[in-house]
Amino acid sequence: MFAVRSFTQHLRYCALGLSIMILSGCGSEVKEHSQTVEYQSVLTQALVLNDRYQQMQTYTGTIRSANTTGIGFELAGKLNTIVVDSGDVVKKGQVLAQLDTDLLVAEKQQLEASLLQTQADIDLAKSTLVRTEKLKTQNYVSAQQLDETQQQVISLQANQKRIEASLSAAKLKLEKSTLLAPFDGVISQRYHNLGEVIALGSAVFNLVGNSQPVAYIGVPIDIAQQLSAQQAVDVRVGKQTFTATIAGISAEVNTISRTVQLRIQLPDSARVINGEIAYLVYQQDSLTAGYWVPMSALTDGVRGLWNVYVVVKDESPLYQIERRDVEIIYTNEQQAYIKGAIQADEQIVTDGLHKIVVGQKVTLVKAQPLEAL
């Protein structure tokens, strides 16, 4: 019995010793917690005070060729021939269309016949006058008969001139029955079809000239007063931007849009289409003090204001975050011009505003001061 107890106690002592050794080994791997505090770094820039800012204003208008008109016949009649159609390029003097001229040809022939008859009557009257004058010298006819013969010749000659004038008018009508291109250009639209009876003055085609394209753009009165004729301006049409010249400034205000129209000549090389929208890009100085900041430096405020985060010096090298109310004066695609509870040379946070809160202590990563684009 004594031997069994001694052996049991011995096993207990061995187990206790082994447990102490295991615990000692585990305790040697426990590390102390770090006492170093890591602070977030923020990207900042210094505010630079400006006494003015430049804003880009865009005004719209349309492109029109210097020669753009609806052309038609000076006479009424039935459209007999159409030579060109929409999109055709034409030259000055080229035949575009013709009216039916059967009636005019018949009228011309009738007048030519009347003219021949009148000429024959005049020849006979002149021969009669010569004989009457000879007889008058011999006292075989009275003075009244001589006067009547003379008046007959004069009347026939007057009638001849009337017929000649009518014949010239008939020939002119025949000429005007053929529609000719008044200048080089492109047919942009056709309004009538073959066989239609066209009213007097009705346009048959719309012709766009090949002359220098012109942009007609309306601007506010104060902007028009800052511009002058022959001044160079930038005009954008589609994806193209041209350096154009102001050819003229209207002397009156449009009663509907309350703008003043500018006539701007584009370069001869400009490939634009009549009716395209043109944009006048004008840079204007505004005398208002403020600061340029990136759009990423702004966050929503209250009562219509915006906020920026300013870093204020704390224990070196730490800074503390403060919120300041600002007002946006002008923005472009990348930056904003602001004023408010900020001063020149203060450091504002320019990025990562969602990662910081007011009162937080941070370290700085400085950026270059922002200038207007």
Side-chain angles (χ1 to χ4, degrees):
M1 287 290 294
F2 179 78
V4 173
R5 286 181 182 174
S6 298
F7 180 74
T8 303
Q9 291 178 352
H10 179 71
L11 289 176
R12 289 177 179 173
Y13 290 146
C14 290
L16 179 62
L18 182 61
S19 299
I20 292 174
M21 291 176 63
I22 293 173
L23 290 175
S24 299
C26 292
S28 64
E29 293 181 0
V30 176
K31 296 182 180 179
E32 296 183 357
H33 292 290
S34 175
Q35 300 298 319
T36 304
V37 179
E38 294 185 359
Y39 294 94
Q40 183 173 345
S41 296
V42 294
L43 184 65
T44 65
Q45 71 173 42
L47 291 173
V48 177
L49 180 63
N50 300 275
D51 61 351
R52 69 187 66 195
Y53 68 96
Q54 292 182 330
Q55 56 178 331
M56 301 299 294
Q57 297 289 347
T58 303
Y59 306 101
T60 60
T62 56
I63 296 294
R64 293 205 304 270
S65 171
N67 288 325
T68 302
T69 184
I71 56 175
F73 296 98
E74 298 180 36
L75 308 171
K78 184 174 71 174
L79 191 56
N80 192 46
T81 304
I82 296 177
V83 180
V84 296
D85 208 335
S86 301
D88 289 343
V89 178
V90 299
K91 297 293 184 181
K92 182 178 180 180
Q94 180 179 337
V95 175
L96 306 180
Q98 287 181 324
L99 294 176
D100 182 42
T101 59
D102 290 345
L103 291 176
L104 292 175
V105 170
E107 180 183 351
K108 174 175 172 289
Q109 292 173 347
Q110 183 180 3
L111 291 170
E112 288 174 341
S114 297
L115 186 61
L116 290 175
Q117 181 180 355
T118 303
Q119 184 61 52
D121 293 340
I122 290 175
D123 293 340
L124 177 59
K126 286 182 176 180
S127 299
T128 303
L129 178 59
V130 171
R131 289 193 297 269
T132 303
E133 288 175 344
K134 289 181 179 180
L135 293 173
K136 179 63 175 66
T137 57
Q138 301 173 4
N139 294 323
Y140 288 121
V141 296
S142 63
Q144 182 178 355
Q145 289 177 323
L146 178 60
D147 293 341
E148 290 176 353
T149 304
Q150 290 175 339
Q151 289 301 319
Q152 184 181 9
V153 172
I154 294 173
S155 177
L156 290 171
Q157 288 175 336
N159 188 49
Q160 182 186 40
K161 291 187 178 298
R162 179 183 62 80
I163 295 174
E164 288 175 347
S166 297
L167 184 58
S168 296
K171 291 179 179 179
L172 187 59
K173 288 180 181 179
L174 282 171
E175 291 178 5
K176 292 185 177 297
S177 295
T178 299
L179 184 61
L180 304 178
F183 48 81
D184 295 348
V186 178
I187 301 295
S188 64
Q189 193 169 356
R190 175 169 64 90
Y191 300 108
H192 293 283
N193 299 315
L194 285 175
E196 288 189 40
V197 177
I198 301 174
L200 180 66
S202 176
V204 179
F205 303 101
N206 191 61
L207 179 60
V208 178
N210 292 335
S211 56
Q212 188 174 26
V214 178
Y216 293 89
I217 300 176
V219 298
I221 299 174
D222 58 332
I223 299 298
Q225 291 173 342
Q226 300 175 25
L227 301 172
S228 60
Q230 304 306 315
Q231 179 177 340
V233 292
D234 291 332
V235 175
R236 188 175 77 252
V237 182
K239 297 181 180 180
Q240 307 175 82
T241 299
F242 305 101
T243 299
T245 304
I246 298 178
I249 302 175
S250 176
E252 62 180 3
V253 177
N254 186 290
T255 55
I256 298 176
S257 64
R258 306 304 301 171
T259 59
V260 178
Q261 189 179 75
L262 305 180
R263 179 167 53 88
I264 304 174
Q265 286 189 344
L266 273 63
D268 292 332
S269 59
R271 298 181 63 83
V272 295
I273 299 176
N274 222 45
E276 275 193 281
I277 297 178
Y279 300 90
L280 170 64
V281 182
Y282 181 70
Q283 184 169 283
Q284 182 180 8
D285 284 341
S286 295
L287 299 177
T288 303
Y291 307 87
W292 285 106
V293 299
M295 297 295 291
S296 59
L298 296 169
T299 184
D300 293 338
V302 295
R303 296 185 298 275
L305 295 176
W306 292 80
N307 294 144
V308 294
Y309 286 144
V310 176
V311 292
V312 179
K313 186 70 176 177
D314 198 65
E315 299 178 0
S316 181
L318 301 179
Y319 290 78
Q320 189 171 354
I321 299 294
E322 291 186 1
R323 179 189 288 115
R324 303 285 179 83
D325 291 333
V326 295
E327 176 187 354
I328 296 178
I329 301 173
Y330 174 73
T331 62
N332 53 39
E333 294 180 356
Q334 300 178 8
Q335 52 190 337
Y337 192 74
I338 63 173
K339 66 178 182 179
I342 49 179
Q343 297 180 356
D345 299 326
E346 285 189 311
Q347 299 283 336
I348 65 167
V349 181
T350 59
D351 200 5
L353 303 188
H354 61 287
K355 299 179 182 179
I356 57 177
V357 295
V358 176
Q360 180 178 346
K361 294 183 179 181
V362 296
T363 58
L364 304 188
V365 179
K366 292 185 180 181
Q368 294 295 326
L370 190 65
E371 297 181 355
L373 292 176

